Amino acid sequence: MHKKTLRLSELEGMFPEEATANDSLVIREAFIRRWLRETVLQYEAERNLPTDLNIDRLVRDYRASLVSSHYEEVLISMRLDSTITQEELEAYYESSKGQYLLEKPIVRCLFIRVPYPTPEEELLQQLWNNGKITDTMALENYCERLSEVALLDPTAWYSLDDIAQQLPEGTLTASNVNSKREFSQQDGSNRYYFRLLEMKPRLEIAPLSYVEEQARKVILHGRKAKVLNEAREDIYERELRSKNIKIF
């Protein structure tokens, strides 16, 4: 078709070992139909190329971009130090924390969702209400066995919206969270336990622990840019010294 030929040899390796003769036929026919559609589209596109479109130059530019991108990845893998110390992280955060204003409220809290009727409910009530470290460990054990959702790290921050989605609609909102600092309630299928430890409202600076992953990515991005700039300059200076560069 239009001087293009699909040979059977191009279909080699397409068929799973366990494929039946009928399976192979279906796979082959599907491939041929796809190839035909792609080929006629390519033919039509080539017939309608703008006269000022330099395909050869586009191909050269694209190839050069691919080669450069691949070599940049090699340079980064060889030269980039991806270790970020806590001191570096904190220093970056202190200098840039104005960039990390919260778009929505976040909370530190304890939250549990268990099925209702609640298994071993008396034990759960006792463990939830008692702050002893031994009971905290026992509560974690209970939740591992019987809860559907358990957020028990008192240092972790969560989006208030994410917590609210775990509760019946309208139970917890930005406007009522401060007045509902601790509660338990149930609906037809679940019982919920919530205890607010701290809230940060919208437009307040996010704590480091909440944006740590994002901050690490920014630090690494900056290091990658520095590695590439230094590598480009090293290569340029080397070629200049070797007199492989001439400016006319």
Side-chain angles (χ1 to χ4, degrees):
M1 181 179 64
H2 301 310
K3 299 182 180 181
K4 292 185 181 292
T5 304
L6 176 64
R7 303 185 184 280
L8 286 176
S9 59
E10 296 179 48
L11 278 67
E12 291 180 2
M14 291 183 52
F15 310 105
E17 292 183 4
E18 67 276 10
T20 65
N22 188 60
D23 292 337
S24 298
L25 178 63
V26 170
I27 293 171
R28 183 168 62 247
E29 289 181 347
F31 181 86
I32 292 171
R33 286 194 298 271
R34 185 169 66 250
W35 181 86
L36 287 169
R37 285 168 171 76
E38 291 174 353
T39 302
V40 295
L41 177 61
Q42 182 182 358
Y43 173 76
E44 188 68 15
E46 290 177 351
R47 282 201 317 124
N48 290 279
L49 279 177
T51 55
D52 61 345
L53 184 62
N54 190 331
I55 288 293
D56 290 338
R57 179 170 182 173
L58 289 176
V59 170
R60 287 196 304 271
D61 290 347
Y62 182 55
R63 181 183 183 278
S65 176
L66 286 177
V67 171
S68 296
S69 294
H70 173 72
Y71 188 57
E72 286 176 352
E73 290 177 4
V74 172
L75 288 172
I76 288 171
S77 67
M78 292 171 56
R79 300 190 181 192
L80 180 66
D81 178 8
S82 59
T83 302
I84 300 174
T85 66
Q86 189 63 26
E87 290 76 12
E88 289 174 308
L89 189 62
E90 291 173 359
Y92 165 77
Y93 174 74
E94 286 300 320
S95 66
S96 310
K97 59 185 179 182
Q99 302 176 24
Y100 295 103
L101 298 181
L102 291 167
E103 296 181 1
K104 295 182 178 181
I106 61 173
V107 293
R108 281 194 309 112
C109 67
L110 305 180
F111 176 75
I112 301 172
R113 189 182 80 206
V114 291
Y116 183 79
T118 307
E120 304 178 29
E121 181 173 3
E122 186 175 336
L123 173 62
L124 174 57
Q125 290 278 7
Q126 174 187 338
L127 297 176
W128 175 256
N129 291 326
N130 195 331
K132 293 180 180 178
I133 186 64
T134 52
D135 284 354
T136 299
M137 295 171 64
L139 180 61
E140 291 173 354
N141 178 266
Y142 172 95
C143 290
E144 286 178 4
R145 292 187 297 113
L146 299 171
S147 72
E148 295 176 343
V149 178
L151 305 177
L152 299 175
D153 180 355
T155 67
W157 289 92
Y158 307 97
S159 163
L160 178 60
D161 285 351
D162 289 344
I163 302 298
Q165 287 175 8
Q166 299 290 338
L167 288 151
E169 186 174 356
T171 300
L172 204 60
T173 66
S175 59
N176 72 13
V177 63
N178 276 315
S179 63
K180 302 184 73 170
R181 300 187 69 86
E182 182 164 351
F183 65 86
S184 64
Q185 68 179 57
Q186 66 192 47
D187 57 19
S189 55
N190 294 290
R191 186 165 185 85
Y192 310 89
Y193 293 81
F194 175 82
R195 180 176 296 142
L196 178 66
L197 303 177
E198 184 180 358
M199 185 189 81
K200 288 190 178 293
R202 179 177 175 273
L203 298 182
E204 190 166 316
I205 294 174
L208 173 57
S209 60
Y210 189 69
V211 296
E212 180 173 337
E213 189 60 32
Q214 184 180 351
R216 287 182 181 277
K217 288 179 180 178
V218 173
I219 293 171
L220 285 178
H221 180 76
R223 286 187 186 176
K224 287 179 182 179
K226 184 179 179 181
V227 163
L228 291 177
N229 287 335
E230 290 177 349
R232 290 190 186 105
E233 193 63 23
D234 290 346
I235 294 169
Y236 172 77
E237 293 294 338
R238 183 191 67 202
E239 295 302 305
L240 201 59
R241 288 192 303 271
S242 300
K243 299 183 178 180
N244 292 326
I245 297 174
K246 294 182 180 180
I247 301 175
F248 298 95

